[in-house]
Amino acid sequence: MKIYFSANKLIRYAVAYVFITSALMKFLNAEMANHFLQLGLPYPQLMLKLVIFLEMGCGILILLNKSVKNAVIPLIGIMFVAILLTKVPLLHTGFLPFAFQARLDIVMFILLVYLYQHSPR
């Protein structure tokens, strides 16, 4: 018995995996949570809880193929802010270090845009 996965399905699974594990790490790992809290965001505790909720909730929706187009919108915002806050400052060390450190963020951003464009409402 062969099981075939479409490209959309594989992309959904990969994106869901990244965001669900990211949410779990922020929730369960104090070091990861503390790193997030040190980013200089207003109301850091509230923002941490909001990001955990959005990453987990939207990740599950994407995994289950429910409201994918709506679920990727807040995740695109999270990735955009993450790139601005944590990766763009690395540009002062050079483009290659920035490109290396930002690789997952940029790929996730592109995959989220792809899912938005290729998912039904």
Side-chain angles (χ1 to χ4, degrees), residues 1 3 19 22 41-42 47 49 53 55 59-60 63 71 83 86 90-91 94 109 112 117-118 121:
M1 179 172 156
I3 299 175
F19 282 103
S22 177
L41 296 170
M47 293 298 280
K49 291 174 185 170
F53 174 77
E55 287 181 345
I60 290 170
L63 179 67
I83 291 168
T86 64
L90 296 174
L91 278 170
F109 186 82
L112 287 167
Q117 291 176 341
H118 292 89
R121 270 227 176 251

Side-chain angles (χ1 to χ4, degrees), residues 3-15 62 65 115:
I3 299 175
Y4 295 98
F5 292 104
S6 68
N8 277 358
K9 209 179 259 193
L10 288 173
I11 291 171
R12 278 192 310 101
Y13 292 158
V15 168
I62 291 168
N65 200 24
L115 285 175

Side-chain angles (χ1 to χ4, degrees), residues 55-117:
E55 287 181 345
M56 181 62 72
C58 294
I60 290 170
L61 287 172
I62 291 168
L63 179 67
L64 299 175
N65 200 24
K66 304 289 182 194
S67 299
V68 173
K69 195 167 204 121
N70 292 326
V72 300
I73 294 170
L75 297 178
I76 288 172
I78 288 171
M79 292 311 302
F80 182 74
V81 171
I83 291 168
L84 284 178
L85 288 179
T86 64
K87 303 306 187 265
V88 169
L90 296 174
L91 278 170
H92 79 280
T93 63
F95 181 76
L96 197 54
F98 160 78
F100 179 75
Q101 291 295 324
R103 67 193 184 282
L104 178 62
D105 297 30
I106 292 169
V107 169
M108 292 309 300
F109 186 82
I110 291 167
L111 291 177
L112 287 167
V113 170
Y114 173 86
L115 285 175
Y116 182 81
Q117 291 176 341

Side-chain angles (χ1 to χ4, degrees), residues 1-59:
M1 179 172 156
K2 291 186 179 183
I3 299 175
Y4 295 98
F5 292 104
S6 68
N8 277 358
K9 209 179 259 193
L10 288 173
I11 291 171
R12 278 192 310 101
Y13 292 158
V15 168
Y17 170 77
V18 168
F19 282 103
I20 292 170
T21 56
S22 177
L24 287 172
M25 286 300 291
K26 286 180 185 82
F27 183 69
L28 299 173
N29 186 305
E31 185 179 325
M32 184 87 137
N34 285 334
H35 175 73
F36 184 91
L37 295 172
Q38 301 302 317
L39 291 175
L41 296 170
Y43 309 103
Q45 292 286 344
L46 179 63
M47 293 298 280
L48 175 63
K49 291 174 185 170
L50 178 63
V51 168
I52 291 169
F53 174 77
L54 288 172
E55 287 181 345
M56 181 62 72
C58 294

